């Protein structure tokens, strides 16, 4: 089967072994006449989707959490006990300091053990809207203050993805383009041991 069907779009794929493919799509627009993003697991639209434009899903099997962002408000949400509850229920706002008022917080990525979160935010440039990539560590029931990992972008960086060995952090960089205004390219940084 296909994740993308004309004329719909799909984005933010995340493969979870033994669970399936999570992604966002606007294919439900024929039903609700709202062409916003909804989270899917394989071919099933998950029940918690609302008019708030959910996208960028990331499932953490170790802690049974499905993370995503709410595109309209650009806040990070988490659905706890996700698989246990058949990916239903109501996602909740990620706690401070992950999601903070007056900032765009988006594109969550968790390490396999669920202890480190990477995400994009404009908290260094809220008026200019330039996104940087941050990292936060889980501390008991809370999170450490996010620290910038990649922050010197002319436009924005986002879509952080860490390799399983923790050595390479891939990300998307927006660049100025004379024809289209901007374009994106993928880069990575590497930890040398």
């Amino acid at each position: 089967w296909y994740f993308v069907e004309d004329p719909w779009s799909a984005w933010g794929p995340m493969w979870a072994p033994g669970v399936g493919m999570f992604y966002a799509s606007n294919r439900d627009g024929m039903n609700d006449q709202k062409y916003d993003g909804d989270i899917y697991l394989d071919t099933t639209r998950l029940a918690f989707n609302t008019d708030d434009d959910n996208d960028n899903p990331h499932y953490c099997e170790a802690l049974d959490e499905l993370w995503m962002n709410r595109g309209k408000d650009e806040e990070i949400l988490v659905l706890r006990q996700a698989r246990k509850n058949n990916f239903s229920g109501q996602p909740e706002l990620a706690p401070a300091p992950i999601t903070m008022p007056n900032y765009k917080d988006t594109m969550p990525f968790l390490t396999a053990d669920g202890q480190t979160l990477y995400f994009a935010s404009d908290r260094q440039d809220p008026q200019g809207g330039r996104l940087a990539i941050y990292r936060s560590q889980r501390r008991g029931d809370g999170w450490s203050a996010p620290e910038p990992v990649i922050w010197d972008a002319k436009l924005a960086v986002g879509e952080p993805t860490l390799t399983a060995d923790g050595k390479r952090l891939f990300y998307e960089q927006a660049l100025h383009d004379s024809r289209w205004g901007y374009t994106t390219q993928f880069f990575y940084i590497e930890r040398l041991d």
Side-chain angles (χ1 to χ4, degrees):
W1 45 272
Y2 293 93
F3 293 107
V4 180
E5 301 167 338
D6 228 2
W8 318 120
S9 297
W11 61 95
M14 191 269 170
W15 174 254
V19 181
M21 178 69 79
F22 292 94
Y23 60 99
S25 175
N26 61 358
R27 84 167 57 149
D28 192 53
M30 282 296 268
N31 296 324
D32 64 9
Q33 299 301 305
K34 295 180 177 101
Y35 296 93
D36 59 337
D38 293 320
I39 305 292
Y40 283 77
L41 173 55
D42 294 330
T43 58
T44 303
R45 179 181 177 271
L46 299 180
F48 60 74
N49 287 288
T50 66
D51 293 342
D52 291 328
D53 197 21
N54 298 319
D55 57 15
N56 291 304
H58 190 88
Y59 180 63
C60 176
E61 184 173 13
L63 298 175
D64 194 18
E65 296 175 341
L66 178 62
W67 290 69
M68 68 202 79
N69 62 268
R70 182 170 35 211
K72 187 185 295 183
D73 298 322
E74 299 189 77
E75 300 170 317
I76 296 176
L77 305 176
V78 59
L79 180 66
R80 300 186 196 283
Q81 298 184 344
R83 189 173 188 184
K84 179 181 177 185
N85 293 321
N86 200 29
F87 298 98
S88 63
Q90 186 60 45
E92 59 191 59
L93 192 62
I98 302 304
T99 295
M100 297 290 290
N102 304 316
Y103 295 127
K104 295 176 185 175
D105 299 308
T106 185
M107 303 175 215
F109 176 89
L110 281 131
T111 55
D113 63 5
Q115 299 305 304
T116 305
L117 174 70
Y118 291 85
F119 64 101
S121 178
D122 70 346
R123 56 188 69 201
Q124 284 187 321
D125 185 28
Q127 277 68 45
R130 289 184 308 186
L131 296 176
I133 294 175
Y134 290 81
R135 175 180 52 216
S136 181
Q137 302 292 323
R138 197 180 293 255
R139 303 280 188 244
D141 290 340
W143 291 89
S144 66
E147 59 180 325
V149 177
I150 301 170
W151 64 91
D152 191 23
K154 300 277 188 229
L155 290 177
V157 291
E159 304 292 348
T161 303
L162 188 69
T163 56
D165 63 8
K167 291 191 176 198
R168 287 187 176 170
L169 179 67
F170 286 84
Y171 62 96
E172 182 180 74
Q173 166 82 51
L175 303 167
H176 288 285
D177 180 270
S178 60
R179 182 174 179 195
W180 303 106
Y182 76 94
T183 186
T184 59
Q185 293 183 1
F186 291 113
F187 291 87
Y188 69 87
I189 58 173
E190 188 168 18
R191 188 182 80 209
L192 302 174
D193 297 302

